[in-house]
Amino acid sequence: MTADLKIFNAVDDTKVKQFDQLSNFEIAAIFKRLAKNNLRHNQVVNGGRGNPNWIETTGRLAYSRLLELGVVEAEQTFNEDAGMAGNVRQEGLYQRVMNALGDSRRDEFLRNAIQAAVNHLDIQDRDAFMYELVDGALGDHYPYPPRCLSYTEKILAQYLQKNCFKDQQLADYVDIFPTEGGTAAMVYIFQELHSAHILYPGDTVVVNSSIFTPYLQIPVLSEYDFHVKTVTTRRSNNWQMTDEQFEELKDPKVKAFFAVNPTNPTARAITPENLQKFKEVLKVNTNLIIITDDVYGTFSPDYQSIFAVAPHNTILVYSFSKLYGATGERLGLICMHKKNVCDRLIYENLLNSHLNELDEERYSIVATDPHKMKFIDRMVADSRAIGLYHTAGLSSPQQIMMDMFSLSNLREPAGDEYVATSRQTVTNRYNEFWNTLGLTADQTLENTHYYTLVDIYRLMSERHGKEFAEYYQDHYNYLDFTYRLAVEFGTVIMDATAFGAEKGNVRVSLANLTTADYHRIAQDMLDLVDEYYEKYQY
Ligand SMILES: *Cc1c(COP(=O)(O)O)cnc(C)c1O
């Protein structure tokens, strides 16, 4: 018996079954702990984390400069030795701040960004604009209006125009609600679809699988109790939906469709041809509500959102977490067209007198005409149990941080260079990983390379033949591979079954480690496959 086989047998694989019922994030956390004492005494590498290992610097430095200038301004109002100053004065603020900016890189960025915004957004009251930025960064007033600061909404709309809408000019026709990350955006949307009587328990919703697990877990919670159908994309179709799956969406019983585009974990964007098919779907199923989570959009070149082709039926979720390395900031948003299916359904439902009464009561404390309250504003109110509607807004420093990231992105060509660099970073890691595995990597435009799914049955089959792969599949628990990789090699990757992927698929995140680490992960995976093979022969 070889030394490797001794190690192989030292892993107690009867333990694996107990993890079956846990969510994949829990399992990864447990495997990470087990990896610390791995049998080979390797340094732990964790390829399970989607958190990027880079940050964007321009927007952050600009934010810190705004804050600094804000304090200087506040001290002009009054200044006590105890570290107390007055509120910033709006009158003449634009010129004072512009004059204070020097010629350092961050000052130059801030000056140019502010000037560009004034020009492109046709801002007449420059002092009001500067006041929103400076006072917002200081965070000394409740965010007002509660849904979104006024100029911030225009800036965010331009950001979405560039990165999600592309050739469809929609920036002037959208409402935006900044939220505590994409996380809160998802929660508020589910909550409101329920509260606004748009979706009822038992209603059919379709989820585009495989998908970020919460989209599978939330709709089946008892308060929603939706009937969840999945349309699962396959590797053989480059992870794209088939025409039959688009047909399923035409059934008027399907009330909502949830998609992450580009998807986590398959990392593919919907092709331009398939994007057009949503128009056909909506001709038949006119009330369908589409929820698209575009957090990985910028990682796909020439990306366009479902929102751009179906603006009246789509609720868009975006987060700054991934592109900007800003998961701790909690920066996300919900975007809806001013003319949208949700508002129409609310209006139609209100013609039903019973709901009419309920609604009058529910929102009468915050709206003089509750009937006319839009879905997006109901979402804001309901996010704070209605009673706290007036203090519902996302913290103003967070909103201004989003402005800074957005203005940094809207620069040409510097903003595009940042995006291109983030793409190249994950692509280099992806290529190293797949080249080490010795399998052909997919280089289609739709592939973001942010994550990658590996079919370990295929890997086994290519390396040691089909019979062996089938033997493995029949004799081992589907979690055995990721478990053993952790316990024996100290390498953590995520099982993808809980994302809705077929058994045998594992997800490796390309966001979080060095290129050399991805080489090691692939090598460990190959070594483990070889160990299973040795055992199989023995
Ligand atoms: C990472 C991720 C998010 C981001 O969530 P935040 O709360 O903004 O950090 C949203 N959706 C998906 C699918 C993700 O993978």
Side-chain angles (χ1 to χ4, degrees), residues 403-508:
D403 286 342
M404 293 302 113
F405 284 145
S406 298
L407 292 177
S408 154
N409 174 271
L410 289 166
R411 287 175 304 164
E412 288 177 4
D416 303 317
E417 277 161 20
Y418 176 81
V419 172
T421 303
S422 72
R423 248 182 238 149
Q424 197 56 52
T425 301
V426 290
T427 301
N428 291 346
R429 297 167 182 180
Y430 176 94
N431 289 339
E432 178 67 27
F433 178 76
W434 281 91
N435 288 341
T436 308
L437 281 185
L439 297 179
T440 35
D442 167 65
Q443 300 295 2
T444 51
L445 267 190
E446 288 75 33
N447 190 352
T448 66
H449 309 124
Y450 196 95
Y451 299 106
T452 193
L453 276 187
V454 184
D455 178 350
I456 57 167
Y457 301 151
R458 176 174 154 232
L459 180 63
M460 289 175 176
S461 177
E462 302 243 338
R463 205 161 162 83
H464 296 296
K466 213 171 147 200
E467 234 170 79
F468 161 62
E470 280 167 5
Y471 173 88
Y472 173 86
Q473 198 167 342
D474 291 342
H475 289 79
Y476 289 92
N477 183 288
Y478 73 98
L479 289 174
D480 204 81
F481 190 87
T482 42
Y483 173 73
R484 229 165 235 287
L485 204 59
V487 174
E488 202 181 313
F489 292 82
T491 293
V492 183
I493 57 176
M494 231 183 217
D495 181 78
T497 318
F499 292 106
E502 285 171 281
K503 282 188 177 167
N505 281 294
V506 295
R507 187 193 81 169
V508 178

Side-chain angles (χ1 to χ4, degrees), residues 181-183 212 215 260 264 293 295-296 319 321-322 330-331 451:
T183 295
F212 186 46
Y215 284 103
V260 173
N264 171 3
D293 180 336
V295 46
Y296 300 105
S319 162
S321 282
K322 303 291 162 44
R330 314 311 299 129
L331 305 181
Y451 299 106

